């Protein structure tokens, strides 16, 4: 008997489709609900996120209809109803499970999975997932609820034997095909921060788009025969076709004036501590989330402290080459070159040439990200990781990564009394990484609650902090181990003649970020008993600048030598006390992500231009001349990057360059100048305390030859610990071409206990809808708050 038109496989698709629609809606509801748990978004923002998430989920489902229909037709043609039901349930379950797993990855990593999946080996993926895939009740519900909805919906469809309609299937098919012509980012622009946009995005669509970008990227541009053909490079020397990054090494010794001679006349030891996941937003003075590193905060008051320091990578894969070798990224990270990594001078190798003993300590498997390969390339003499850690130490029973930071510090201290001086030693921690679990964690969760009270976190914000109690307690734990290390080495004979460097490899992503730049914004502390006095540095520098500056210090101030020529990307730390950026540097969030570039105040990301402002804020910039200039700088870097990969060489002398005594740097080479910043900015900002209030007077100006966008003057008062205390908005303003306007805002004075004695006020032009900065502002204007008369000190 022939099937009727209404009973054909094609028609059945539309009658069964509601079950898949229901499962998709349950899936997005579970993902958004789980992602919002403990978040600090207000009700309107939560509804906006949910709305965008539903729109994107429906768009992905309709886009999938053509493929699902093609795969489902043979199954829907099966005559036996039960077998037909089981086959269809299996296929559609696969579609739901793939999305669920991508959502689960996001819940663990707090970044959507993209082409970076293909940047890691199967063993590395297993290690990563082993720590993040704990099946908690909420996780099980998130994975099972959409499948349960699908199966119940299909059972109901089969039991009703409802006839399908061919025209309905045709409508679904046409809608799905048409949606391929439209972007899936509908509504995302209404969300005010990256965390909200990433939560609302459909992770399957994100994965597909990123894989398409990665697979179609092609080869990096080859270096031209004559670099002067590039208009940006016309005033610069042509790239060397064999060694495109090679240059004379003339990094100035900006650290030397801050250091005293050693007590024994010998060059100092160097200790570099790389803290996994250490971000500036939760560490250091005026940390935006409040600081959860009390020891590092105290150490900062005795150090050279760099407020606006950048890691060049958004994950650990790049930290060793950038920090210790000032090396380029190649295609998917320098260490991904594996056996093709070209030998080059770095901190370890250059000091090793001059008699330093070198050691590297890590509690994990250093084959991950090929860190072992890089350390061996730099000729480090002693390498300790989880494979030769030694007896008497306990691996972390809650993590696949190896030994927790307490055991790592104990292992380093076990060797501290027998170190051959001079030495260069590096320690890389691991505990501030998923799963954020370690022995005796309950003790640090109690300290976390105590820290919340010390920071005076408002009751409204407490749920968001406590939702991440595992992470914050881990931060406190690692900080405590650093304290233990520094307390212990004080008693060693080499301590007085040692330079200590502490930084983070990147900012951990599991605590939501307000801005993209936070992923790279990490602390840098340079501490030593040899320091003359502490200093806070506001200028921007990056990890590419550390090795050049350390070797300039050691060669100029302490009589060592440095390479005559290097391929280092960094030009040395900038010690300016005011905010600025004089560097040009690449940044790469993941192994497979598109390259970002910072030059002067301009940050290029995904082809879009942003201005880096004081306070480490990125503001969208519509300046074609500035964008063209930064694109030219990025292209020159890419040409050099492609050239060194083609030649498989950075320098002609490899790891053992000719070493020479320090010489004062010659005049800086001519480089194409950055365009002058235009757009909205502030000419001045002044605070004046009155009776019962504080008056802020600010002058906004428009540097463009056209009418400015509408903006709202916004002032934000924060305590000394970085907590936001107050926001005050002015009325909306639109300035004529080259116009200026004075604005006055009244701020209610905070209590001394809230400020910690001093408050800070930031003021900037903001977007009327999102509150984000849309032009240059003034940040951290000090406001001293005196105790009320008669109050107790």
């Amino acid at each position: 008997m022939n099937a009727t038109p209404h009973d054909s496989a094609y028609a059945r698709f539309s009658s069964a489709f509601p079950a898949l629609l229901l499962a998709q809606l349950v899936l997005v509801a579970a993902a958004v609900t789980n992602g919002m748990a403990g978040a600090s978004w207000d009700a309107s923002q939560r509804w906006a996120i949910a709305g965008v998430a539903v729109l994107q989920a429906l768009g992905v489902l309709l886009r999938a209809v053509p493929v699902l229909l093609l795969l489902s037709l043979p199954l829907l043609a099966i005559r036996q109803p039960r077998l037909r039901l089981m086959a269809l349930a299996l296929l559609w379950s696969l579609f739901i499970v793939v999305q669920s797993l991508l959502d689960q990855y996001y819940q663990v990593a707090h970044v959507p999975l993209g082409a970076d999946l293909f940047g890691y080996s199967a063993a590395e993926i297993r290690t990563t997932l082993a720590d993040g895939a704990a099946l908690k009740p909420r996780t099980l519900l998130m994975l099972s609820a959409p499948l349960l909805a699908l199966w119940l919906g299909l059972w109901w469809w089969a039991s009703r034997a409802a006839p399908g309609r061919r025209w309905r299937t045709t409508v679904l098919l046409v809608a799905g095909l048409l949606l391929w012509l439209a972007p899936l980012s509908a509504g995302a622009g209404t969300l005010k921060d990256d965390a909200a946009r990433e939560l609302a995005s459909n992770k399957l669509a994100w994965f597909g788009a990123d894989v398409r970008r990665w697979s179609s990227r092609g080869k990096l541009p080859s270096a031209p025969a004559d670099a002067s053909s590039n208009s940006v490079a016309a005033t610069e020397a042509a790239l060397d076709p064999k060694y495109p990054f090679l240059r004379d090494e003339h990094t100035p010794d900006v650290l030397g004036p801050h250091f005293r001679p050693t007590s024994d006349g010998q060059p100092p030891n160097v200790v570099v501590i790389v803290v996994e996941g250490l971000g500036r937003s939760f560490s250091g003075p005026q940390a935006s989330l409040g600081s959860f590193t009390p020891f590092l905060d105290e150490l900062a008051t005795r150090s050279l402290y760099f407020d606006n320091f950048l890691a060049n990578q958004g994950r650990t894969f790049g930290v060793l080459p950038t920090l210790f070798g000032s090396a380029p990224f190649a295609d998917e990270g320098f260490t991904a070159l594996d056996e093709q990594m070209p030998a080059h001078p770095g901190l370890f190798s250059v000091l090793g040439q001059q008699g330093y003993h070198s050691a590297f300590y890590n509690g994990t498997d250093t084959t991950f990200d090929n860190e072992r390969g890089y350390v061996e390339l730099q000729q480090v003499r002693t390498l300790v990781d989880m494979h030769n850690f030694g007896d008497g130490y306990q691996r972390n029973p809650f993590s696949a990564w190896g030994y927790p930071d307490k055991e790592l510090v104990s292992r380093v201290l076990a060797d501290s009394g027998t170190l051959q001086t001079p030495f260069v030693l590096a320690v890389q921690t691991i505990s501030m990484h998923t799963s954020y679990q370690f022995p005796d964690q309950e003790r640090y969760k109690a300290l976390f609650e105590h820290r919340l009270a010390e920071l005076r976190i408002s009751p409204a914000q407490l749920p968001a902090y406590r939702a991440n109690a595992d992470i914050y307690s881990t931060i406190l734990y690692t900080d405590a181990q650093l304290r233990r290390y520094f307390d212990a080495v004080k008693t060693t004979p080499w301590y007085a003649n040692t330079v200590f460097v502490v930084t983070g490899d990147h900012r951990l992503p599991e605590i939501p970020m307000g801005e993209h730049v936070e992923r790279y914004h990490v602390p840098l502390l340079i501490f030593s008993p040899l320091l003359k006095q502490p200093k806070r540095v506001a200028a921007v520098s990056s990890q590419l600048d550390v090795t050049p500056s350390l070797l300039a210090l050691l060669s100029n101030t302490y009589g060592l030598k440095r390479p005559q020529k290097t391929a280092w990307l960094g030009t040395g730390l900038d010690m300016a006390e005011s905010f600025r950026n004089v560097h040009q540097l690449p940044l790469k969030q993941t192994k497979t992500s598109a390259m970002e570039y910072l030059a002067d105040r301009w940050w290029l990301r995904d082809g879009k231009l942003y201005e880096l402002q004081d306070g480490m804020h990125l503001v969208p910039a519509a300046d074609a001349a500035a964008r063209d200039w930064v694109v030219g700088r990025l292209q020159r870097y890419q040409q050099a990057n492609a050239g060194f990969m083609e030649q498989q060489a950075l320098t002609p002398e490899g790891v053992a360059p000719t070493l020479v005594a320090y010489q004062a740097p010659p005049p800086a080479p001519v480089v194409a100048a950055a365009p002058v910043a235009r757009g909205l900015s502030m000419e001045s900002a002044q605070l004046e305390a009155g009776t019962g209030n504080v008056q802020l007077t600010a002058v906004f100006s428009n540097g463009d030859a056209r009418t400015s966008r509408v903006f709202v003057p916004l002032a934000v008062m924060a305590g000394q610990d970085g907590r936001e205390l107050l926001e005050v908005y002015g009325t909306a303003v639109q300035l004529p071409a080259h116009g200026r306007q004075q604005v006055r805002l009244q701020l209610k004075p905070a209590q001394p206990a809230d400020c910690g004695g001093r408050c800070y006020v930031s003021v900037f032009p903001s977007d009327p809808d999102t509150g984000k900065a849309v032009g240059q502002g003034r940040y951290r204007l000090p406001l001293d708050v005196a105790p009320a008369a008669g109050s107790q000190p």
Side-chain angles (χ1 to χ4, degrees), residues 154-210:
L154 287 175
W155 174 81
W156 178 76
W157 162 72
S159 64
R160 288 180 66 247
R165 296 290 187 270
R166 295 179 63 88
W167 68 267
R168 292 176 181 170
T169 301
T170 301
V171 169
L172 290 173
L173 178 60
V174 171
L177 292 172
L178 289 176
L179 271 178
W180 282 101
L181 303 177
L184 271 179
S185 56
T190 64
L191 304 178
K192 67 180 183 179
D193 57 50
D194 285 348
R197 285 187 287 272
E198 290 177 354
L199 174 59
S201 67
N202 182 272
K203 308 309 180 290
L204 181 58
W206 183 295
F207 178 80
D210 198 51

Side-chain angles (χ1 to χ4, degrees), residues 498-576:
T498 302
V499 177
F500 297 88
V501 179
V502 182
T503 189
D505 58 348
H506 60 85
R507 194 265 206 197
L508 59 86
E510 286 78 11
I511 298 175
M513 290 174 275
E515 293 192 50
H516 176 71
V517 69
E518 288 185 33
R519 187 66 181 262
Y520 303 102
H521 190 191
V522 299
L524 175 67
L525 298 84
I526 299 178
F527 166 75
S528 176
L530 299 170
L531 273 177
K532 295 177 182 178
Q533 60 185 16
K535 178 179 179 178
R536 282 184 68 176
V537 178
V540 176
S541 294
S542 82
Q543 289 174 348
L544 292 168
D545 301 306
V546 172
T547 284
S549 277
L550 287 177
L551 289 175
L553 166 70
L554 294 173
S555 59
N556 181 45
T557 304
Y558 295 107
L560 291 181
K561 295 182 178 181
R562 63 179 179 180
Q564 184 178 36
K565 289 182 177 291
T566 71
W568 294 339
L569 270 64
T571 54
L573 299 166
D574 185 358
M575 302 296 293

Side-chain angles (χ1 to χ4, degrees), residues 631-651:
V631 167
R633 306 313 309 163
L634 172 59
Q635 288 176 343
R636 184 172 172 86
Y637 164 78
Q638 289 178 314
Q639 289 163 2
N641 196 46
F644 108 80
M645 290 176 63
E646 183 178 345
Q647 297 294 326
Q648 295 185 7
L650 281 172
T651 68

